[in-house]
């Protein structure tokens, strides 16, 4: 159920945001206010609210991306102020690892801490059932490993990430694959969803068009859908059944809490 939180202690503008618990759906109705915030300010509000769930002594999964970056910054701030103690961070990418090291957050990995108390991360899409698309930043495999090991996974997004169904934005649904015979794997992925008008593209970087390489040394195929991909569990199983596929960016039934910051308010939804 959506829960109203009328104050956030982020900025003077953020304090003016209000929500009303008028619905039990994953995309609650928000009460209009005259406040106008930038997308980055909305991301920061969602991230700071998620950090309120972090307690001293926890092992914390540190997400990757522009929204999760704010959460990592806030955790470091609270550690430096002595408001949090004995935190161990498990980063989900090399970028987050570098950020956390620069901020002085103690780090470890899943080998030493196979159970994570809480993970905080963003998402590229969130549907009404709290299923997610993640990985447009390229870190989907490590994100899924850490967040699957977490007792509580909190998703932080701005309202632009809400969709009626995954793939509904027409933007990429990433699939991490091994580099060997990547064209063959791409064609097989397209054929799985031919009825949904699926088109796959190898992710590249720079003007040279060199393949994007993940932290794990793999490539990413971005799938674009013209129609609904159908049953998500069946789609997941079909993708993972292909030799050459490492992991996909659908996070099905993984999120426990979704925090959404919008220009009309902020909501928290728990599964």
């Amino acid at each position: 159920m959506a829960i109203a939180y009328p104050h956030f202690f982020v900025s003077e503008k953020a304090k003016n945001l209000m929500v009303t618990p008028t619905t039990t759906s994953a995309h609650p109705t928000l009460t209009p206010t005259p406040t106008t915030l930038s997308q980055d300010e909305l991301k920061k509000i969602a991230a700071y609210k998620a950090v309120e769930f972090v307690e001293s002594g926890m092992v914390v999964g540190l997400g990757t991306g522009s929204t999760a970056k704010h959460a990592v910054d806030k955790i470091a701030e609270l550690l430096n102020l002595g408001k949090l103690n004995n935190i161990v961070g498990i980063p989900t990418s090399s970028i987050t690892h570098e950020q956390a090291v620069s901020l002085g957050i103690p780090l470890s990995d899943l080998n030493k801490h196979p159970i994570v108390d809480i993970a905080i991360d963003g998402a590229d899409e969130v549907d009404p059932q709290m299923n997610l698309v993640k990985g447009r930043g390229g870190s989907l495999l490590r994100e899924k490993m850490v967040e699957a090991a977490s007792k509580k996974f909190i998703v932080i997004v701005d309202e632009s990430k809400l969709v009626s169904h995954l793939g509904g934005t027409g933007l990429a649904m990433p699939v991490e694959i091994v580099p060997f015979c990547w064209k063959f794997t791409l064609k097989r992925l397209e054929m799985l969803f031919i009825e949904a008008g699926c088109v796959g593209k190898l992710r590249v970087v720079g003007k040279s068009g060199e393949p994007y390489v993940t932290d794990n040394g793999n490539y990413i195929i971005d799938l674009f859908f013209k129609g609904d991909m159908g049953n998500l569990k069946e789609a997941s199983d079909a993708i993972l059944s292909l030799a050459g596929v490492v992991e996909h960016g659908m996070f099905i039934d993984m999120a426990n809490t979704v925090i959404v910051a919008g220009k009309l308010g902020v909501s928290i939804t728990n599964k």
Side-chain angles (χ1 to χ4, degrees):
M1 182 177 71
I3 303 172
Y5 284 84
H7 59 282
F8 294 91
F9 307 103
V10 178
S11 67
E12 288 303 315
K13 286 196 290 184
K15 289 178 183 178
N16 294 325
L17 289 178
M18 301 287 290
V19 298
T20 301
T22 57
T23 179
T24 58
S25 72
H27 300 165
T29 303
L30 305 179
T31 300
T33 74
T35 305
T36 300
L37 300 175
S38 70
Q39 187 176 32
D40 191 61
E41 287 173 314
L42 295 174
K43 292 177 178 181
K44 185 178 291 188
I45 291 169
Y48 284 15
K49 174 52 65 174
V51 173
E52 292 182 13
F53 290 85
V54 178
E55 299 176 1
S56 294
M58 280 186 167
V59 178
V60 183
L62 305 176
T64 298
S66 57
T67 309
K69 180 181 182 297
H70 291 306
V72 176
D73 286 340
K74 188 63 176 179
I75 290 170
E77 177 187 331
L78 295 175
L79 280 169
N80 291 331
L81 292 173
K83 296 182 179 180
L84 285 177
N85 297 285
N86 301 317
I87 294 295
V88 175
I90 310 292
T92 56
S93 67
S94 59
I95 290 175
T96 301
H97 183 279
E98 293 170 3
Q99 178 194 4
V101 168
S102 71
L103 296 171
I105 299 175
L107 299 179
S108 188
D109 57 36
L110 293 176
N111 292 328
K112 295 181 179 178
H113 297 276
I115 299 176
V116 179
D117 293 301
I118 189 171
I120 300 173
D121 205 353
D124 299 305
E125 295 183 7
V126 182
D127 76 7
Q129 290 73 47
M130 296 169 61
N131 298 311
L132 319 170
V133 167
K134 291 175 53 56
R136 291 180 190 153
S139 302
L140 63 98
L141 176 58
R142 296 190 186 186
E143 288 173 338
K144 188 169 283 190
M145 290 177 69
V146 172
E147 288 147 15
S150 300
K151 296 177 183 177
K152 186 177 183 66
F153 173 28
I154 301 179
V155 178
I156 47 177
V157 294
D158 66 88
E159 63 185 353
S160 70
K161 304 302 192 293
L162 303 182
V163 297
S164 60
H165 63 277
L166 297 192
T169 61
L171 300 177
M173 199 285 283
V175 180
E176 186 162 343
I177 67 168
V178 298
F180 178 71
C181 293
W182 65 264
K183 292 182 181 179
F184 172 73
T185 306
L186 185 156
K187 291 300 181 184
R188 295 190 76 192
L189 286 167
E190 288 181 328
M191 290 304 295
L192 285 178
F193 304 102
I194 189 169
E195 293 182 358
C198 178
V199 175
K201 295 183 180 180
L202 177 70
R203 186 176 299 185
V204 298
V205 293
K207 295 181 179 179
S208 65
E210 290 295 314
Y212 173 88
V213 179
T214 71
D215 287 342
N216 318 296
N218 296 316
Y219 290 174
I220 287 182
I221 299 298
D222 288 319
L223 299 181
F224 300 87
F225 296 89
K226 293 181 180 178
D228 194 325
M229 72 179 75
N231 181 281
L232 297 182
K233 182 63 167 61
E234 293 177 0
S236 170
D237 291 344
I239 292 171
L240 294 175
S241 72
L242 296 180
V245 168
V246 179
E247 189 53 85
H248 59 69
M250 289 186 291
F251 285 49
I252 303 169
D253 264 339
M254 289 183 61
N256 303 109
T257 299
V258 174
I259 300 177
V260 182
K263 293 180 179 178
L264 300 182
V266 179
S267 69
I268 297 179
T269 304
N270 296 301
K271 181 168 286 186

